[in-house]
């Protein structure tokens, strides 16, 4: 009995010692490294981040992705330090957001891709077939609304006041020969409006999320001259954090560029050159 008790005591000590070693650094490099939390739209941003995960793990960084379904909360959460970075928006949107939210101090640390905005329709196959009085849904936030109107102007459907620039609104429409009727709504809700309107102008992330194929189904898409490159944003002062620098190295890697090209087949276009 004494021998059995001695053996059990020794085993207990060994188990305890093993647990202590594991808790103090016996795990993998990623477990001992940094964890960064990034807010993102589901498609394509979270998908791109998922592809980056294993590359970051090799560098000792664990990536936690928090998905958002709107364009407001990711910036508020980042500003309040609930996130380390976010990846869902383009620079014009971020600039406008900070103009409207003076307490928000965020900064871009680099562009990743262009997600061309497109015009979609369940009613017609060609923009020239849009009838007089056509209803068109477009985003109601200032930057994406202006972006949508510029796309309609590029398509020859309207003309805008040239002084309006990227922040054009429906009040800046100077010519509207087809008497388009604009229905402004939250960007995330626009895909649901496709059955109720003649045409809808949809951001690519939301188009992909509902199964639309921009390169095949959009009646017109923005081209590579678009200024709306999607960026990674951080709080001012965090740009030089080693984890953020490593994140950007991975997102700008040849592996991630190839992932974007293979996965999205032109619907999403890399906005960086290979390292």
């Amino acid at each position: 009995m004494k021998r059995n008790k001695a053996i059990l005591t020794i085993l207990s000590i060994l188990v305890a010692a093993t647990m202590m070693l594991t808790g103090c650094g016996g795990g993998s490099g990623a477990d001992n490294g940094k964890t960064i939390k990034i807010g993102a739209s589901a498609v394509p941003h979270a998908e791109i981040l998922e592809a980056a995960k294993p590359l970051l793990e090799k560098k000792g960084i664990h990536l936690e992705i928090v998905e958002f379904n709107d364009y407001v909360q990711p910036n508020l959460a980042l500003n309040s330090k609930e996130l380390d970075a976010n990846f869902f928006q383009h620079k014009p949107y971020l600039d406008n957001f900070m103009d409207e939210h003076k307490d928000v101090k965020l900064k871009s640390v680099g562009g990743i891709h262009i997600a061309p905005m497109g015009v979609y329709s369940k009613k017609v196959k060609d923009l020239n077939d849009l009838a007089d009085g056509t209803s068109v849904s477009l985003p109601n936030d200032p930057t994406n609304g202006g972006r949508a109107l510029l796309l309609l102007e590029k398509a020859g459907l309207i003309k805008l006041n040239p002084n309006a620039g990227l922040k054009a609104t429906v009040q800046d429409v100077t010519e509207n020969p087809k008497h388009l009727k604009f229905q402004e709504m939250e960007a995330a809700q626009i895909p649901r409006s496709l059955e109720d309107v003649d045409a809808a102008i949809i951001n690519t992330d939301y188009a992909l999320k509902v199964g639309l194929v921009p390169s095949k189904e959009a009646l017109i898409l923005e081209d590579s001259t678009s200024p709306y490159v999607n960026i990674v944003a951080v709080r001012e002062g965090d740009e030089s954090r080693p984890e953020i620098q490593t994140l950007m190295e991975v997102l700008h890697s040849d592996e991630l560029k190839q992932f974007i090209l293979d996965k999205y087949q032109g619907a999403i276009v890399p906005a960086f050159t290979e390292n």
Side-chain angles (χ1 to χ4, degrees):
M1 287 293 291
K2 289 182 178 180
R3 185 183 177 188
N4 289 340
K5 286 183 178 179
I7 291 172
L8 288 172
T9 301
I10 292 170
L11 288 174
S12 297
I13 293 170
L14 288 172
V15 170
T18 301
M19 291 176 67
M20 287 179 66
L21 285 171
T22 302
C24 294
S28 67
D31 291 334
N32 292 324
K34 297 284 188 178
T35 295
I36 54 175
K37 187 183 292 187
I38 302 183
S41 298
V43 182
H45 306 81
E47 293 178 341
I48 293 172
L49 291 173
E50 285 289 351
K53 260 189 176 182
L55 299 175
L56 285 166
E57 292 282 353
K58 292 178 181 178
K59 295 177 180 290
I61 295 177
H62 176 69
L63 177 60
E64 183 178 340
I65 303 167
V66 181
E67 291 189 14
F68 289 86
N69 294 315
D70 71 284
Y71 286 166
V72 176
Q73 294 307 313
N75 279 335
L76 297 178
L78 176 56
N79 193 63
S80 63
K81 299 186 179 181
E82 297 171 45
L83 303 170
D84 295 292
N86 67 38
F87 176 36
F88 76 98
Q89 65 193 323
H90 46 66
K91 185 70 163 49
Y93 180 84
L94 175 60
D95 291 341
N96 187 77
F97 190 93
M98 289 193 294
D99 284 343
E100 294 182 347
H101 300 77
K102 300 300 184 182
D103 59 327
V104 173
K105 305 295 181 183
L106 307 179
K107 189 170 184 179
S108 167
V109 287
I112 308 301
H113 68 269
I114 297 171
M117 180 178 272
V119 181
Y120 299 81
S121 177
K122 297 286 188 181
K123 309 290 177 63
V124 299
K125 298 295 184 182
D126 190 296
L127 286 176
N128 292 325
D129 296 332
L130 290 174
D132 189 84
T134 285
S135 57
V136 180
S137 57
L138 68 160
N140 62 4
D141 62 272
T143 50
N144 283 303
R147 183 181 182 183
L149 291 168
L150 287 168
L151 186 58
L152 290 177
E153 184 176 52
K154 179 183 177 181
L157 293 172
I158 62 172
K159 284 191 177 180
L160 296 167
N161 182 334
N163 296 322
L166 298 179
K167 294 185 178 182
T169 69
V170 293
Q171 283 71 43
D172 294 306
V173 176
T174 57
E175 294 183 31
N176 185 6
K178 284 184 176 287
H179 305 98
L180 302 180
K181 297 177 181 177
F182 303 110
Q183 297 186 17
E184 299 176 275
M185 61 185 70
E186 186 180 347
Q189 304 303 317
I190 293 179
R192 300 179 187 177
S193 74
L194 261 176
E195 299 294 337
D196 304 317
V197 297
D198 299 296
I201 307 175
I202 307 175
N203 293 78
T204 289
D205 51 347
Y206 291 129
L208 292 174
K209 195 171 181 180
V210 296
L212 293 170
V213 182
S215 58
K216 295 180 180 179
E217 298 181 75
L219 303 183
I220 185 173
L221 276 175
E222 291 173 319
D223 57 28
S224 59
T225 62
S226 170
Y228 299 97
V229 176
N230 281 231
I231 61 170
V232 173
V234 298
R235 289 181 296 279
E236 285 188 2
D238 281 359
E239 307 96 297
S240 59
R241 280 177 57 186
E243 313 91 273
I244 299 299
Q245 292 296 309
T246 301
L247 170 70
M248 296 309 296
E249 288 173 11
V250 167
L251 290 177
H252 284 168
S253 67
D254 294 351
E255 292 91 336
L256 262 293
K257 179 178 182 180
Q258 196 59 51
F259 170 81
I260 293 171
L261 293 172
D262 293 342
K263 173 76 174 177
Y264 302 108
Q265 298 294 307
I268 302 294
V269 182
F272 57 89
T273 56
E274 302 96 323
N275 289 323

